[in-house]
Every structure is written in C-alpha cells, then in structure tokens.
Amino acid sequence: MDNGDIEGGGGLEDEFHINPSGRKYRPVVAHDPAVLEMSSISPGSSSSNHQSNLKKIIAGGSTQAKTSTNTDGVNDNSKNGSEREHKLELFGFDSLVNILGLKSMTGEQVAAPSSPRDGEDGSTSFDRDRPRPNDLKLGTMMGVFIPCLQNILGIIYYIRFSWIVGMAGIGESLVLVAFCGLCTFLTGISLSAIATNGAMKGGGPYYLIGRALGPEIGVSIGLCFFLGNAVAGALYVLGAVETFLKAVPAAGIFKETITKVNGTDIPHPIQSPSSHDLQIYGIVVTIILCFIVFGGVKMINRVAPAFLIPVLFSLFCIFIGIFLTKKDYPADGITGLSLESFKENWSSDYQFTNNAGIPDPEGKVYWNFNALVGLFFPAVTGIMAGSNRSASLKDTQRSIPIGTLAATLTTTVLYLVSVLFFGALATREKLLTDRLLTATIAWPFPAIIYIGIILSTLGAALQSMTGAPRLLAAIANDDILPILNYFKVADGQEPYIATLFTAFLCVGCVIIGNLDLVTPTVTMFLLLCYMGVNLSCFLLDLLDAPSWRPRWNFHHWSLSLLGASLCIVIMFLISWSFTVVSLALASLIYYYVSIKGKAGDWGDGFKSAYFQLALRSLRSLGANQVHPKNWYPIPLVFCRPWGKLPENVPCHPKLADFANCMKKKGRGMSIFVSILDGDYHEHAEDAKAACKQLSTYIDYKRCEGVAEIVVAPNMSEGFRGIVQTMGLGNLKPNIVVMRYPEIWRRENLKEIPATFVGIINDCIVANKAVVIVKGLDEWPNEYQMQYGTIDLYWIVRDGGLMLLLSQLLRTKKSFENCKIQVFCIAEEDSDAEELKADVKKFLYDLRMQAEVIVISMKSWDAQIEGGSQQDEWLESLTAAQQRIAGYLAEKKRSVQGDGDELMADGKPVVVNEQQVEKFLYTTLKLNSTILRYSRMAAVVLVSLPPPPVNQPAYFYMEYMDLLVENVPRLLIVRGYRRDVVTLFT
C-alpha cells in the first residue's frame, strides 16, 4: 500500500469517527453487524483478500462498509450470507473475539471456569449458559434483604430470646446482642468486599473462600459449612415440632416432663414436651421435607415468600401485644411495660436448669454468658442467604452489600429493642418459665405466633435442606476430592444423592432431640465459615494484588482481622472443647485434601502471598555475593543429550537423580533447561509443549525445580543465551550440570567437541561452576545403597566446591555408608607430610571427616614407567597421538592453497606439539593414579582442566577421554572465583 492509498478517501477520521467537531463514538454492541461479520470471517483467508479489502475500506468512504464485493467479483451472498467488509480489519480478528469474550466473562454468554477442570477444554460455545429472556432476575429487596431477614429471624427469637433476657438480664443481653451482631456485621463487610470483586458461581461462601485461600482451605471450611447447614435443618425441625407440641399438648404420645419452679410464691407444674415426642415428630417432619426437596428447588422458591408473611405478621402482633399488656394480663407474671420490672431484670441471674431449660436446682446444666453466646449466636446467622442466590440477582455488585448489611443492621436493632421491651414486660420468673412468652403476649390470640413459628422454622428448614445438598454438589463438582464423586451432578439437575445424605444427617441430629445441645454444633461450623470469609478478605486486602478491585470500598484489613478474631473468641467462649473438635475436624479435612485432593490453581491469595514474599526476599538478597555460610547450590541441569534419551523421556532419569544429590534435605532449586533447534516463531508452540512435558517429568522424579525450554539456531547459541540470562539477582544458577559426551567418538559426532568446549568456555566466562557426570547410566537412585569410598582428587583450588559436593552426596541415603578420601598432589616428597597436615587441619576446621592421602610427583612418574599396566597405558597414549596427527593432517590438507594459517572450529589455531604431548601425558598419569587407588570407589571427583587457548576442541576431547577412560563413575568438577565453604562460625 502506498501513501496515496492512505491519504485518499477522506482519511481515517471518517472511518473511525474521529472528528474534531465533537462527533461521538458509536458503541459496539453484541448484535452489531461488524461484530457478527468479523466473528464469522475465517482467520485463514488469503492475504490478497485482506489487502484488497483494506484498500476498499480506506479509499471508499463510509458507504463502502455497507455494500462491497470480493476481489474476484463474486457476490458474498453466494457464500455464507452477506460478508460485508468491516472497518476494524487493521486490528485483526482477535479484537472482536475478545469483545465477545469480555461479554462471556460477565456471565452473559459463557460461564467462566469454576474449577481447574472447567478450563481443560479450550473450545467454548458462546451459546452455553446464555440467559433466557424469561429468566427472573431479583433485585436487592427480594433477592438479598428478604432472604437474609427470613434466615436471621427464626426459632431462637420466638422461643428462646425472652428466656435469654431473663437469664442474662437486660444489661448483659444488650452486650450479648451487640457482641454477636458486631461479629456478623464485620463478616458482612468482608463478604461484601469479596463478593463485589468479581462474578460469583455456585457454592456461596465455599466459592469465595476457596478462590481466596485455596482449594484445600475452601474444601475444609466448605464441608464444615455443609455440616452446619445440615445440622441447622435439624435445629429448625426441632423448633417447629417443639412449638407444635406446646400449642397442641394432646398431640404428645409420651408423658410430658413436669418441673416445679424453685422459689415461686405459688408452686405450679411447668410442662415441657417429651424428648421422645420431639424425636418421633422430628423424624417424620424431616422425611416429609425431604420429599418436598425432591420436588425441586423451583417449587420451594415459589413457596418461600409465603413463609415470610407469617413471620412479619407475627412480629407485628408481638409488638402490638407488648403495648396492650397490663399487670397479670394476659397471664400471671406479666407486668406490662414497667420501669420497676426493668430495674429488677437489669442484672443477670445465672442458675442451673434441666435439659429443657427449665430452672431446676438439681439440674445438670449451668448457664453463664459464654453458654448464652452459643445459644443466641444462631439467631444472628443467615447473612450468606443473599450471596447464595447470586446467580439470580440483577446486580450482585450492588445487591449483596446493601441487602446483607441492611438485613444485619435491621435484625440487630430489632433484637436490641426487644431486649428492652421483654425486660420491662414481665417478671424474671415469667421470663424463665414461659418458653413461649411471645405467644402469650401476642395480639389478638397466641395461635398466630404458633402458626408463624411453625411456618417460619419449616421454611428455614426447607432452605437448609435445599442449600446444603447444592453446597455439597458444588464441592464435588470442583473435582478436588475423589471421595465426593458420588455427589456430582450435571448442570441443571437436582442433587438427589446429596439430598439423601443431608436428610440422613438431619435425622441423626433430630434423634438427639435436644435443641440446646444442637445449637452449639451449628454455631461452631458457622463461625468457622465466617472466620474463613474474614480471613479471605484480610489476606486479599493486605496483599492488595492488582486483581483486588472490589466495588465495595468500605472495607479495611483491620476490620476483617477484627472479625476473624471475634469469631475465634466466640468459639472459645461457647466451648473450648467444641472449638478444638471443630478445628481438628477442619484440619483433618485440610490434611486429607492436601494428600488425596487433586491439585488446582484458582489464583488464591496464598499464591499471591508467596509471590510477594519471593519478590521481597529477592530484593533483600540484593545483587551482592552471598556469604559462603548462606551459599546453596542452584544447579542448571542441561538436559540436551549427547545422543538419544532412554525411553524417549525429556531428561535422562539419572540426571534428575544426580540433581537431587546436590541438595541437602531437598533444600534448593534446580533449573532444568533444554534447547530446541530452529526458529522461535516456528517452534514456539513446540517449546511450550516440551516445557510442559519436562515440568511433568521433573514432578514425577520429585525434583524441586523448574523447567525451561529455549529455542535457538543451534545448541551453542542457545546455551550462551541461557548462561547469561537465566535467573534473577542472587537466584541465578551457579553450577552447570551436564552429561559427559561418551558417544562422540563411537557415533562419529564431529560437531560435539566444538559444542562441548564452547559450553565449558561460556561457563568460565560467565563465572559458573561446572559439574560433568561421566557414567551417568550407572548412577544409583535413592534406593540403591553404595559402599566403598568417595574419592576426591583435589588438584586445583576450587573454593571448596568439590569438598562440599562430597558432603552433600553423603547426606543421601544411597551414599551414607561411604567414606571420603581426599587425594592431594605434592611436587616433592619432602612436602608430602606438611601438605597432609595442612589439609587435615583445613578439613577439621571445615567440620568435614575425610582421610587425606598425598601423592608425590616422583611416585606418579615411577608409577607410569614401572607399572604393571605400562603397555596398556602406552597403547592408549599412542592411539591418542595417532588420532591427533591424523586430525592435523586432514586440517592441513583442507587449507592448502588458502594460506598457511591452520583453521579449526571456525577460528585460527596454533599447534604446539610439545605442549600437546605434555597435556596427553598429564591426563594419562592422572587416569592411571585414579585406576590404581580408586577402582573400588563408589564415585570419583576430579578437577576439570580448562580448555587450552588456541588449541582445537578435538585436542581437548582427546585429553578428556584419556582422563576418564575405564573410570566407571566420575564427576569432573570446576569451581568458580569464590569460596563456597568457610572456616568461621
């Protein structure tokens, strides 16, 4: 395209509606023709079509976008409808796909993955989970406020609240209500912050906690919350049955319990329902509710609003009755709103009661403030009802915070006002003995309260038995625990198995038959859930990751921490034994999930905390050298093989085993790298697949490390880039580990010498230590016990790396029975004893146990000249000399006519035959010494000689072959310009 194409047709301003006169942008909507056309255009269309279309868009004006033909003059209608040219082709097709993807992220078209398993399939249909036009979306009032109000106001208020006021007194009752209300209010703030930080899926608080604290904590608290909901269902059933038996005493099958009140002016019997009646009727009601739940959640949701009307009407009747009461009307003990009664009931009167809560001097239950917290706290729960219905809300970001906190404040104010009214309404004796005082004072007759209590508690029981199975199914569908696979359900289906299991738990709790013994269990599980919500918000608020952008701005990490602390305090106030049991249960579930659960990354807060901690630690380390006391080996394991790998694995199995041997008790990190030859743009996807395969193999071999794949034109270029850039700060790899290329001569791989020598030179220039493993196929795994010695031929100063490696080897189970021998070379016999003493003192100061053996140069020479294997060594030396002479002759023939300069490995070289002979003889002597003293050694460590300057790489490979010949297991080590061990504390 030339400049004329760009400047013609009115310019880009007309096409993109950029006009200085102030013309507005036209918004892009889902049904926009450009969106529909671009989503239908294949990315594989020819470049000529693209160029032609782009010219037409720019040169033809805005009218060209409406009617156009293709480059061949064929009408687009003959293909897939009318494919009209669009204005945004310059940006490619991905831009519009992302527009549709953004719509899917909001839940309008595509459901975002709710668990790691949901993201496995990359093919996503835009029609999946698309909302239907007739779907009912609820607002703040009906979707959040009313459900929360219905769940919070329940059985405790009707049949226990006046009794609590009589036991604790007005003063402590106000403290009790404020204390519990503050806990739920702070939890509501945390819930509002988390719920407005993104779209919510099924599972309610389990979903929020799991995505904030990780799947292990999410599942453990989610299962406890499920148990709390299941037990709460039994609580509501027992409350409804007890109210029914109190209203209709004739319905009782067994004899009622009769208790006389101590200290009354006129002793009269107090009747309470038999526990056996509670059990029988409770089981029957639970079974009936189970059948109703099997009918489907739609039927329950249609009936649920009707349960709220009796509750509101009964509250109206209670408060009307309060103002209409008079002294001893409508029953004895009623004083009406009296200041005298208010003063008498201000203080507490804790005492013994029987199991039914009736005061009894010989009772076994003693009530105090802590016990009343456990009894009353379920009356302030239910704040999760709105978040559980997030899928049915028009605007979750607005409805959940406003509705939840409004319901919490409304009920807290109602409780505070009720404390004042009940305390001034009746004598303490009446408050403690009349379990249904609300029905006694209700206007116009008590039956309204009985009906209201029964309907409200049955409605709450239905909600619990409906929500608990779906919570269990949501946990099972996340596919974290295999044992929960029985409770999985497909989308849109009812969780029948989970419902049966919930009903079974409810029946078990109903058999207990005691409301006051069931409520602490519910309290513990709910407090665990609230604590998880507060801790989630605390962690996310404290970390303040870029993704943490809740719409609810009235939150702070200190409030969440206070809310979590209140949950812990309330748990221990209620019962330290119940607290320990509930925490132990959650810990056991957490441990079981961490062992048996499937790993998944949900982007939880702990991963963000680890990331920030790693960054802070990296910055604190700085770029200066690490002190030798804090030095850890960070091996760069070069997986690129010299030949084929066994069983087509991405890394030699024994190389991974050796990398583990370089760590003490698994501490440290290894970096496994491999190089893929070729062009990066062509092999980028192959590199990703290879990296994933290598990472999986590292995990399989239980190596703590990371995998990296680099695409480069060749191995030398790739390794040079790796050794320069791999790592950050002081976390850069300090040791390069690779296999010795034993096959280069056997397979006649002539390119290996230059590559091998280049890698060693790159390590020297980059100041990296080098460990080359010879005999890798024979390297033992962790279960193969080794006996003998670990022999070190300490020739050059390497900063103590060779000594440290020998000590690290001995920490492994396979080498723990081996002893260390250190061989040193003395130039004169007279220096041998002094050198031995110095090395022993040095090793003693290093806290290393080893035997020191000194070999003099004279005995070394005598060993070659008069040894029994002289002929074999001379044969090896002669063979090496002949191969070098043949290599030189071949190189000289190749440069004839091009000058006298000898070229090798792409650079000029200088051959000093005397120096070559000296190097060959030196490596031969060292090899003979190793074979003499270390034939039975488990492993031998020897210093790596640097490649000679201006010599061909082929010569260096000949030296190395002479050095390692006939040594079955050898580590060739070269340190770098720093100490890795120290004598000082």
Side-chain angles (χ1 to χ4, degrees):
M1 180 184 298
D2 56 16
N3 293 336
D5 294 327
I6 298 178
E7 296 173 358
L12 291 176
E13 292 184 13
D14 293 338
E15 291 305 315
F16 294 95
H17 301 280
I18 305 174
N19 197 305
S21 62
R23 181 164 44 175
K24 296 182 180 179
Y25 290 99
R26 181 175 61 86
V28 180
V29 295
H31 55 79
D32 190 271
V35 175
L36 299 177
E37 290 170 17
M38 290 182 64
S39 61
S40 64
I41 294 178
S42 171
S45 57
S46 63
S47 59
S48 61
N49 287 349
H50 291 174
Q51 294 176 358
S52 176
N53 290 340
L54 185 58
K55 289 182 179 182
K56 292 179 181 180
I57 290 176
I58 297 178
S62 60
T63 58
Q64 295 262 351
K66 299 181 179 179
T67 58
S68 64
T69 57
N70 55 22
T71 55
D72 298 330
V74 181
N75 195 330
D76 289 341
N77 293 332
S78 62
K79 295 184 179 182
N80 299 326
S82 59
E83 295 183 358
R84 293 173 294 178
E85 296 172 353
H86 48 80
K87 304 173 183 179
L88 300 179
E89 187 177 357
L90 174 63
F91 295 95
F93 302 114
D94 291 339
S95 58
L96 284 178
V97 172
N98 286 337
I99 290 173
L100 297 177
L102 289 174
K103 286 184 174 294
S104 68
M105 289 172 62
T106 63
E108 295 181 16
Q109 294 180 351
V110 182
S114 59
S115 69
R117 64 183 178 85
D118 293 335
E120 293 176 359
D121 187 8
S123 59
T124 307
S125 172
F126 289 112
D127 293 331
R128 181 184 175 187
D129 296 338
R130 182 180 296 213
R132 302 295 185 265
N134 57 353
D135 282 350
L136 179 60
K137 292 295 183 179
L138 304 176
T140 303
M141 179 62 69
M142 295 303 299
V144 180
F145 181 77
I146 297 301
C148 288
L149 195 67
Q150 185 177 5
N151 279 266
I152 294 174
L153 286 175
I155 185 69
I156 301 296
Y157 178 78
Y158 286 105
I159 67 176
R160 290 292 185 269
F161 196 66
S162 59
W163 182 89
I164 290 174
V165 174
M167 186 68 71
I170 298 175
E172 293 192 18
S173 296
L174 293 174
V175 175
L176 174 65
V177 173
F179 185 61
C180 296
L182 178 63
C183 178
T184 55
F185 182 75
L186 293 176
T187 305
I189 292 178
S190 300
L191 174 67
S192 301
I194 304 177
T196 57
N197 192 49
M200 289 180 56
K201 297 296 176 184
Y206 155 72
Y207 181 87
L208 299 177
I209 296 173
R211 271 59 181 179
L213 300 181
E216 294 86 0
I217 297 180
V219 171
S220 58
I221 295 182
L223 288 177
C224 290
F225 188 61
F226 159 75
L227 293 176
N229 277 279
V231 175
L235 168 69
Y236 296 133
V237 168
L238 287 175
V241 171
E242 183 177 348
T243 305
F244 172 73
L245 293 176
K246 185 73 175 180
V248 188
I253 301 175
F254 296 90
K255 187 177 180 181
E256 296 177 335
T257 302
I258 300 177
T259 303
K260 290 186 178 181
V261 182
N262 184 36
T264 55
D265 296 335
I266 303 176
H268 58 278
I270 303 297
Q271 296 181 345
S272 59
S274 170
S275 60
H276 299 297
D277 287 336
L278 293 176
Q279 293 169 353
I280 294 176
Y281 279 100
I283 293 174
V284 173
V285 171
T286 303
I287 294 175
I288 294 174
L289 292 178
C290 183
F291 280 109
I292 296 176
V293 172
F294 267 94
V297 68
K298 291 184 178 180
M299 181 178 65
I300 297 174
N301 288 336
R302 291 172 182 173
V303 178
F307 289 106
L308 185 62
I309 297 176
V311 176
L312 298 179
F313 184 70
S314 61
L315 290 176
F316 175 76
C317 294
I318 290 173
F319 280 96
I320 293 297
I322 288 176
F323 290 103
L324 296 179
T325 55
K326 300 177 183 178
K327 184 173 179 57
D328 294 331
Y329 175 81
D332 294 338
I334 302 296
T335 62
L337 294 177
S338 168
L339 182 61
E340 191 174 313
S341 299
F342 187 90
K343 293 179 180 179
E344 291 179 358
N345 294 330
W346 178 261
S347 60
S348 61
D349 185 17
Y350 298 117
Q351 54 186 296
F352 286 94
T353 67
N354 62 6
N355 291 335
I358 305 300
D360 185 357
E362 299 179 358
K364 298 180 180 180
V365 181
Y366 180 78
W367 293 92
N368 54 22
F369 183 83
N370 299 350
L372 290 181
V373 171
L375 178 62
F376 173 72
F377 191 81
V380 297
T381 60
I383 60 175
M384 302 294 179
S387 61
N388 290 336
R389 303 187 180 193
S390 59
S392 302
L393 299 177
K394 292 180 182 178
D395 186 1
T396 57
Q397 313 290 320
R398 180 179 181 273
S399 297
I400 290 180
I402 297 176
T404 302
L405 295 177
T408 303
L409 291 176
T410 300
T411 51
T412 302
V413 171
L414 173 65
Y415 290 149
L416 292 174
V417 173
S418 299
V419 168
L420 300 176
F421 282 160
F422 288 155
L425 183 66
T427 62
R428 187 182 302 274
E429 190 177 294
K430 184 65 174 177
L431 293 174
L432 292 175
T433 56
D434 193 347
R435 301 289 295 273
L436 281 170
L437 181 65
T438 54
T440 302
I441 64 174
W443 175 88
F445 41 82
I448 295 178
I449 303 302
Y450 289 123
I451 296 174
I453 295 175
I454 294 173
L455 290 180
S456 64
T457 50
L458 289 181
L462 270 176
Q463 295 294 336
S464 296
M465 293 189 65
T466 303
R470 280 152 182 79
L471 174 60
L472 183 61
I475 300 175
N477 287 340
D478 276 339
D479 204 17
I480 300 297
L481 278 182
I483 196 174
L484 298 179
N485 289 341
Y486 301 102
F487 303 110
K488 284 185 177 181
V489 293
D491 293 340
Q493 294 186 0
E494 294 291 329
Y496 295 116
I497 299 179
T499 302
L500 287 176
F501 183 69
T502 305
F504 176 78
L505 292 178
C506 287
V507 169
C509 295
V510 166
I511 291 176
I512 297 176
N514 192 332
L515 190 65
D516 297 332
L517 294 180
V518 172
T519 49
T521 307
V522 179
T523 304
M524 289 299 172
F525 291 139
L526 294 178
L527 280 169
L528 268 180
C529 178
Y530 294 168
M531 182 178 64
V533 172
N534 282 300
L535 288 178
S536 300
C537 186
F538 165 73
L539 180 63
L540 296 175
D541 224 341
L542 192 64
L543 295 174
D544 198 17
S547 61
W548 176 245
R549 300 183 305 276
R551 291 182 179 273
W552 180 256
N553 296 321
F554 302 99
H555 63 91
H556 193 264
W557 63 265
S558 58
L559 297 179
S560 301
L561 182 61
L562 178 61
S565 302
L566 284 178
C567 293
I568 289 290
V569 169
I570 292 175
M571 291 176 70
F572 279 98
L573 283 179
I574 295 171
S575 171
W576 68 266
S577 57
F578 272 97
T579 302
V580 171
V581 170
S582 59
L583 292 176
L585 177 62
S587 301
L588 287 176
I589 297 175
Y590 175 87
Y591 180 75
Y592 180 78
V593 174
S594 61
I595 297 299
K596 299 292 185 179
K598 298 180 181 179
D601 187 4
W602 289 347
D604 54 87
F606 281 117
K607 297 292 178 65
S608 179
Y610 297 153
F611 182 77
Q612 292 195 22
L613 182 62
L615 291 180
R616 181 170 298 180
S617 302
L618 187 61
R619 289 195 299 267
S620 64
L621 285 176
N624 299 325
Q625 285 189 356
V626 178
H627 194 276
K629 291 191 296 184
N630 300 324
W631 187 88
Y632 283 86
I634 306 178
L636 179 69
V637 183
F638 190 43
C639 301
R640 177 72 178 262
W642 310 106
K644 295 183 179 179
L645 284 171
E647 302 177 2
N648 196 26
V649 293
C651 177
H652 197 293
K654 297 302 180 67
L655 198 58
D657 294 334
F658 176 73
N660 281 334
C661 290
M662 299 183 68
K663 303 172 187 175
K664 185 177 181 180
K665 297 180 180 179
R667 299 188 184 102
M669 181 183 69
S670 301
I671 303 176
F672 290 78
V673 297
S674 188
I675 299 173
L676 197 62
D677 293 341
D679 182 72
Y680 175 70
H681 295 281
E682 296 178 359
H683 297 280
E685 294 300 324
D686 297 337
K688 292 179 182 178
C691 186
K692 183 177 181 181
Q693 182 187 15
L694 181 57
S695 179
T696 304
Y697 187 74
I698 292 172
D699 295 338
Y700 167 73
K701 295 294 291 184
R702 291 185 293 180
C703 297
E704 293 193 6
V706 296
E708 293 290 343
I709 302 293
V710 176
V711 181
N714 53 64
M715 186 186 299
S716 298
E717 293 294 331
F719 184 83
R720 189 168 293 120
I722 289 172
V723 80
Q724 292 182 75
T725 59
M726 191 65 66
L728 291 172
N730 270 317
L731 288 182
K732 289 184 178 180
N734 45 33
I735 302 177
V736 176
V737 179
M738 60 181 172
R739 181 186 186 183
Y740 183 78
E742 303 172 49
I743 66 169
W744 78 277
R745 193 187 310 281
R746 183 175 65 249
E747 302 290 340
N748 195 24
L749 301 175
K750 297 181 179 180
E751 72 279 359
I752 285 183
T755 303
F756 182 71
V757 172
I759 289 176
I760 295 176
N761 285 327
D762 290 341
C763 293
I764 295 174
V765 173
N767 195 25
K768 307 290 185 186
V770 182
V771 177
I772 301 173
V773 187
K774 192 263 181 182
L776 188 62
D777 294 331
E778 288 77 28
W779 190 265
N781 58 34
E782 57 180 330
Y783 304 108
Q784 294 175 333
M785 300 297 296
Q786 300 297 305
Y787 300 93
T789 59
I790 300 175
D791 291 351
L792 282 67
Y793 287 83
W794 197 16
I795 300 174
V796 298
R797 182 178 181 274
D798 60 356
L801 178 60
M802 191 182 298
L803 296 172
L804 185 60
L805 286 178
S806 64
Q807 294 295 324
L808 292 176
L809 287 176
R810 284 205 64 207
T811 61
K812 300 302 175 182
K813 188 174 182 179
S814 54
F815 290 99
E816 63 182 1
N817 296 322
C818 298
K819 296 181 179 180
I820 300 177
Q821 294 184 151
V822 179
F823 292 85
C824 299
I825 309 299
E827 295 183 1
E828 301 292 340
D829 292 341
S830 59
D831 300 335
E833 292 300 325
E834 183 180 357
L835 178 60
K836 184 175 183 178
D838 290 343
V839 173
K840 279 189 173 181
K841 178 65 168 56
F842 180 71
L843 294 178
Y844 176 79
D845 292 338
L846 288 177
R847 293 88 62 200
M848 295 182 179
Q849 296 181 356
E851 181 183 356
V852 180
I853 301 174
V854 178
I855 303 173
S856 64
M857 296 292 289
K858 290 184 178 180
S859 62
W860 202 356
D861 295 336
Q863 174 185 333
I864 295 292
E865 295 174 0
S868 58
Q869 296 180 335
Q870 180 180 1
D871 295 339
E872 181 180 346
W873 291 329
L874 289 178
E875 182 181 349
S876 299
L877 179 62
T878 303
Q881 291 172 340
Q882 291 176 354
R883 288 192 296 269
I884 288 178
Y887 176 82
L888 284 176
E890 181 182 353
K891 288 297 180 182
K892 289 178 180 179
R893 287 194 300 268
S894 63
V895 300
Q896 287 181 358
D898 297 331
D900 297 331
E901 192 176 35
L902 185 63
M903 301 290 294
D905 309 323
K907 59 183 179 180
V909 295
V910 178
V911 177
N912 186 335
E913 296 183 1
Q914 185 178 0
Q915 189 182 45
V916 172
E917 292 293 331
K918 180 181 178 181
F919 289 164
L920 288 174
Y921 190 68
T922 301
T923 54
L924 180 62
K925 287 191 295 183
L926 183 55
N927 176 261
S928 63
T929 303
I930 293 173
L931 294 178
R932 179 182 180 185
Y933 292 100
S934 305
R935 280 191 177 273
M936 302 303 294
V939 62
V940 178
L941 287 79
V942 66
S943 298
L944 173 69
V949 182
N950 296 330
Q951 284 195 12
Y954 183 88
F955 290 7
Y956 184 74
M957 292 303 299
E958 288 291 348
Y959 306 152
M960 295 300 299
D961 280 354
L962 279 180
L963 176 62
V964 305
E965 189 175 8
N966 296 325
V967 182
R969 196 180 296 154
L970 181 67
L971 299 181
I972 314 171
V973 182
R974 179 172 181 82
Y976 58 113
R977 297 184 294 272
R978 60 158 305 168
D979 293 331
V980 298
V981 293
T982 179
L983 303 177
F984 304 102
T985 302

